[in-house]
Amino acid sequence: MTTPASPFKILPAGALAPPGSPAPPPAPAPAAPRGAGGRAAGVTELRIVGMHCASCVSRVEAALAAVPGVREASVNLATERARVTLEGPVPAETLARAVRDAGYEARLDQGAAADQAERAERAAERARLTRRLIAAAALGAPVVVLGNLGMLPPLSAVPMAVQNWIQLVLAAPVVWWAGWPFVRGSAIAIRRRTADMNLLIGLGTLTAFGYSAVATVAPQVLRGAGEAPHVYFDTAVVIVALILLGRLLEARARSRTSQAMRRLLDLAPRTARRVAQDGAVSEVPLDQVHPGDLLLVRPGEKVPVDGVILEGRSSLDRSLLTGESMPVEVAPGDAVTGATLNQSGAFRMRAERVGADSMLMQIVRLVEEAQGGKAQVARFADRVAAVFVPVVISIAIAAFVIWFDVGPAPRLPQALLKAVAVLIIACPCALGLATPTALLVGTGRGAELGVLIRGAQALESAHGIRAVVFDKTGTLTRGRPAVTELVPAPGIEPDRLLATAAAAEQRSEHPLAAAVVRAARERGLTLAEPDDFAAVAGRGVVAVVGGQVVQVGSAALLNEQGVDPAPLDAGRERLERAGHTVFAVAAGGRAIGLIAVADTLKPDAAATVAALTREWLEVWMITGDNARTAAAIAGQAGIAPERVLSEVLPGGKRDQIAELQRRGLEVAMVGDGINDAPALAQADLGIAIGGGTDIAMEASAITLVGGDLAGVPLALRLARRTLEVIRQNLFWAFAYNTLGIPIAAGVLVPLLSPGGPIGPILGWTGGLHPMLASLAMALSSVSVVSSSLRLRRFH
């Protein structure tokens, strides 16, 4: 604490006005509200329940777009949100009715209450899917055993007819209860005259189950030439279990998306200290703060809302919102942002932007808009379902008609067998396994290497990336200030310079002062305790150390204290041009040197930039810092000066990414802070540094667990390799169907039958029994899994 008899000059720090002082200028009138949730007029948001694929998205969008008064509708599958732009007043119930008519549920998105209800609904959905999956696995396991091993001892002791009845009893609840969601979905698809994977899954499941049920209950209908009909209950239950597993994983992924938004909202303080006209201070909930209110912010507290300082000085840590690596000194007249951390002095401020108008809420909105504005990820299987499903059904019907008309006796069983064989061999087991098995192995291998991949969207995006944009603070750099250079005056040892400055800075709470003290202790220097100390807001500190007056701070501070800083000018200019924050140090009335502090580059940053450049990728850097600091860091990292974007705020970061995309580049964004979340969401591929915030990681598609930048090129290579395997799996799955379906339909029978030209040579009639079709389907699944396992060798 400074005493009245202090032997040095202390400049006024702008003390807070005591109670009873003149009131601040009248507050402006509160801004007009923007409506529920802060959404601009003409835009309505709905939560959509029941979507599972890209075709669901297109149906909901088409239904909403057909409502009179709707200009545009954009549906986000991941967040289950529909953003509807209106040309005029359209009741929300009208929009919800259009969604219901399309076969889905819609609810108005109305802030916190809706968020609580949504969380409860999603938890209930996951619980329902879990119960259905457990039931399918528990009841389906014995069905699979009987269907594949029933002819072996000791099961062979049980008559086959009894085994079939056991399978029927166990499979019925699996198909009609556990599998009801997509059985119902297939019925809706038929009613709406659309074709998607729900329809294909439903047909395959119900055909296998229905044929098997008839073979069990009335085997004489299907019995031909004395042969007992085979049952395919195992096919039905396996399809149900696989699809339920996929739906459960999707539900969990969607819940993580909403958690990111909740964590972002949790950054805002819950209360604010409001100052009344008589000077009394009361703590009020944040939602009771209005534009024009006078607020008190104490050291260590978060700024409650956006506003302007009226009295007092301090330093604010704004790195989470703006990306600035250094704390910012603020004084009367300066703007402050809600959710930033007040580090040192207390101050009074006038609230200006609250609630939905604050920068924090704007970041939330930017993330949501960036996610909703991107093209939806359409799964390959869904994209071809519109053609594949009708073709399969047509082939099955054609096979039945032809074999019933011209086939050998008994015609009905033969025709049914051919039609069922077509539908069974077309069941999407291999198709359904193609993506999830490669994802499972690829993401597992990535986790071993410290790379977390969140899904197929990241893989598809990584394939076309042509530019990588790095955030500076905490991504390319360490994210905290450190002493980078000592410039002692002639006759002064570097250790003496550092020890003198650190001794004076010991009582300061400023992060830059902490960097000086930390550097001194890392060198093992002994620091004397100051006899007196005072902080000069915006200038530095003054202390008495060992009987000498020591000043540490700006050149202006030395001038004000009667010390000539001119001998240090050349060194200061050099360091400032290089992007460093520079302290001048004086002791005993003489300038003794300079200390440079900066946010230093990570050790692997330059090597990472070089590795990406060798892959013909454009490497950019974006930051909220000033141009001089940004250019210095970019030069050290090896990034070209023309690819440095400085002094960019959160909304600007997102806009800069969008500008690169408008140039035709597919962009990957690498960041770690909350301020990076909108840009991570806007980018084609978001990559978060694991040591950063949860918000950045939730807004990204890939997370580097250890924060090692070398993981960026590794993640891109792994994503591309995994996508290659997925595409190979899908190719072979469809190739299998392309070859298997005609064979199952019997097109080779005329050629390979005993009366055909080469039938006697091969000894095969060219037909495909449903049992063999089931085996072929199982083998195709095994081949897809084996293909995916190759990713375990990635390095």
Side-chain angles (χ1 to χ4, degrees):
M1 179 179 293
T2 305
T3 64
S6 176
F8 46 82
K9 303 174 187 175
I10 299 295
L11 301 180
L16 296 179
S21 59
R34 297 178 64 192
R39 291 172 179 82
V43 174
T44 298
E45 288 201 6
L46 302 171
R47 184 186 170 224
I48 311 299
V49 179
M51 297 188 299
H52 294 291
C53 64
S55 57
C56 299
V57 170
S58 62
R59 283 202 294 275
V60 175
E61 287 180 340
L64 289 170
V67 176
V70 173
R71 183 195 309 164
E72 182 184 8
S74 176
V75 177
N76 187 312
L77 179 61
T79 59
E80 297 181 303
R81 288 288 193 276
R83 183 177 177 85
V84 186
T85 304
L86 306 175
E87 295 177 341
V90 178
E93 178 55 34
T94 301
L95 300 174
R97 189 184 312 115
V99 174
R100 285 194 294 270
D101 290 343
Y104 305 90
E105 290 296 323
R107 285 147 198 179
L108 186 62
D109 186 9
Q110 289 181 321
D115 183 61
Q116 293 288 341
E118 177 183 340
R119 274 187 270 179
E121 288 175 3
R122 287 184 170 177
E125 179 190 6
R126 292 195 301 273
R128 286 193 299 270
L129 287 171
T130 300
R131 288 193 298 269
R132 293 179 190 274
L133 178 59
I134 292 173
L139 296 174
V143 173
V144 173
V145 171
L146 287 173
N148 294 275
L149 304 177
M151 72 292 298
L152 301 177
L155 295 178
S156 57
V158 180
M160 189 58 64
V162 176
Q163 290 189 26
N164 291 351
W165 275 101
I166 294 174
Q167 292 185 58
L168 173 60
V169 171
L170 294 175
V174 174
V175 172
W176 295 106
W177 181 77
W180 176 248
F182 51 86
V183 171
R184 175 179 176 270
S186 64
I188 292 175
I190 293 173
R191 189 169 67 249
R192 300 291 176 188
R193 293 183 175 86
T194 60
D196 59 12
M197 287 305 297
N198 267 335
L199 181 59
L200 186 60
I201 293 163
L203 284 176
T205 303
L206 295 178
T207 300
F209 179 82
Y211 174 85
S212 302
V214 172
T216 300
V217 175
Q220 67 278 3
V221 175
L222 303 176
R223 192 186 307 274
E227 179 185 1
H230 190 78
V231 296
Y232 307 98
F233 292 115
D234 55 340
T235 299
V237 298
V238 167
I239 293 174
V240 169
L242 286 175
I243 301 305
L244 284 173
L245 178 60
R247 295 278 170 88
L248 180 60
L249 294 176
E250 289 175 3
R252 289 181 175 176
R254 283 195 292 269
S255 70
R256 287 197 296 269
T257 303
S258 61
Q259 287 172 6
M261 292 298 100
R262 288 196 295 274
R263 289 189 186 127
L264 189 53
L265 293 171
D266 287 343
L267 290 171
R270 296 287 181 265
T271 61
R273 301 182 189 277
R274 185 161 58 195
V275 183
Q277 292 291 331
D278 61 358
V281 178
S282 59
E283 191 168 348
V284 297
L286 196 63
D287 57 8
Q288 294 183 16
V289 176
H290 303 287
D293 284 352
L294 179 63
L295 307 176
L296 171 65
V297 183
R298 297 175 179 174
E301 295 179 345
K302 288 182 178 179
V303 178
V305 296
D306 298 358
V308 175
I309 293 181
L310 299 178
E311 303 171 17
R313 295 175 180 268
S314 185
S315 61
L316 295 182
D317 179 358
R318 308 195 301 189
S319 58
L320 287 178
L321 287 178
T322 67
E324 295 167 285
S325 56
M326 300 296 182
V328 176
E329 302 291 341
V330 290
D334 290 339
V336 292
T337 305
T340 55
L341 180 64
N342 180 29
Q343 292 193 323
S344 52
F347 58 85
R348 290 185 182 185
M349 61 173 287
R350 182 178 65 240
E352 292 195 337
R353 292 181 301 279
V354 303
D357 293 324
S358 68
M359 179 177 286
L360 179 64
M361 291 304 299
Q362 288 173 13
I363 291 178
V364 173
R365 180 57 51 197
L366 287 172
V367 173
E368 291 178 345
E369 288 179 357
Q371 289 178 336
K374 290 188 294 187
Q376 303 299 326
V377 180
R379 295 175 185 170
F380 184 71
D382 286 316
R383 291 198 297 266
V384 302
V387 175
F388 182 63
V389 176
V391 168
V392 169
I393 297 173
S394 299
I395 292 174
I397 294 174
F400 177 85
V401 171
I402 292 173
W403 283 96
F404 185 77
D405 186 46
V406 300
R411 292 184 177 182
L412 177 60
Q414 290 290 336
L416 284 174
L417 286 176
K418 294 295 185 296
V420 170
V422 168
L423 289 172
I424 288 179
I425 205 167
C427 284
C429 283
L431 194 59
L433 287 171
T435 296
T437 54
L439 277 176
L440 181 65
V441 180
T443 54
R445 180 56 181 157
E448 294 174 355
L449 299 173
V451 177
L452 299 183
I453 302 174
R454 299 191 59 165
Q457 178 177 352
L459 305 176
E460 292 179 358
S461 300
H463 182 73
I465 293 300
R466 293 295 175 265
V468 180
V469 181
F470 285 92
D471 170 58
K472 180 184 81 66
T473 304
T475 303
L476 284 175
T477 66
R478 297 179 185 273
R480 70 172 187 173
V483 172
T484 56
E485 190 171 343
L486 300 173
V487 183
I492 303 296
E493 293 294 325
D495 282 358
R496 178 189 166 191
L497 170 63
L498 182 58
T500 301
E505 295 276 26
Q506 284 183 94
R507 296 185 184 177
S508 174
E509 297 176 352
H510 201 288
L512 300 183
V516 174
V517 175
R518 186 168 58 248
R521 288 176 175 160
E522 288 173 354
R523 289 195 178 204
L525 301 180
T526 301
L527 304 183
E529 284 294 326
D531 299 319
D532 207 349
F533 171 84
V536 184
R539 299 285 194 274
V541 302
V542 184
V544 176
V545 181
Q548 279 190 323
V549 178
V550 177
Q551 295 94 357
V552 184
S554 65
L557 173 66
L558 268 62
N559 273 321
E560 293 162 357
Q561 294 290 316
V563 179
D564 183 13
L568 306 176
D569 285 350
R572 183 176 61 254
E573 291 175 3
R574 175 182 62 82
L575 292 170
E576 287 179 346
R577 281 197 304 270
H580 298 272
T581 298
V582 183
F583 293 152
V585 184
R590 174 197 171 201
I592 64 171
L594 300 170
I595 298 178
V597 177
D599 187 8
T600 56
L601 198 68
K602 288 182 178 178
D604 56 351
T608 298
V609 171
L612 293 171
T613 304
R614 285 195 298 270
E615 295 185 16
W616 302 99
L617 297 173
E618 293 185 13
V619 181
W620 294 69
M621 188 183 81
I622 192 168
T623 179
D625 263 344
N626 60 69
R628 185 173 57 194
T629 301
I633 291 295
Q636 297 172 31
I639 298 175
E642 65 272 14
R643 293 178 181 166
V644 178
L645 306 170
S646 59
E647 300 179 12
V648 182
L649 293 177
K653 288 187 177 184
R654 176 207 178 201
D655 294 341
Q656 292 289 352
I657 296 297
E659 176 60 29
L660 292 176
Q661 291 170 327
R662 281 192 289 272
R663 296 183 194 175
L665 295 173
E666 293 190 30
V667 181
M669 170 71 190
V670 187
D672 74 315
I674 294 166
N675 62 297
D676 302 322
L680 287 167
Q682 174 67 38
D684 298 283
L685 179 68
I687 302 177
I689 302 298
T693 65
D694 288 346
I695 310 307
M697 287 185 275
E698 292 289 351
S700 64
I702 294 178
T703 298
L704 308 181
V705 178
D708 186 354
L709 288 179
V712 174
L714 175 68
L716 293 176
R717 287 193 295 109
L718 176 59
R720 290 168 182 164
R721 178 59 182 148
T722 305
L723 183 60
E724 287 175 7
V725 171
I726 289 176
R727 288 178 171 175
Q728 291 168 5
N729 288 351
L730 289 172
F731 170 80
W732 287 113
F734 278 103
Y736 145 79
N737 277 314
T738 302
L739 294 174
I741 291 175
I743 294 175
V747 298
L748 297 182
V749 170
L751 181 66
L752 299 176
S753 63
I758 58 175
I761 300 175
L762 296 178
W764 177 39
T765 64
L768 190 64
H769 193 280
M771 183 171 64
L772 295 177
S774 180
L775 177 61
M777 182 185 64
L779 291 177
S780 71
S781 300
V782 171
S783 68
V784 165
V785 173
S786 301
S787 172
S788 299
L789 290 175
R790 294 177 295 158
L791 288 167
R792 296 175 62 181
R793 299 192 295 270
F794 178 88
H795 61 277

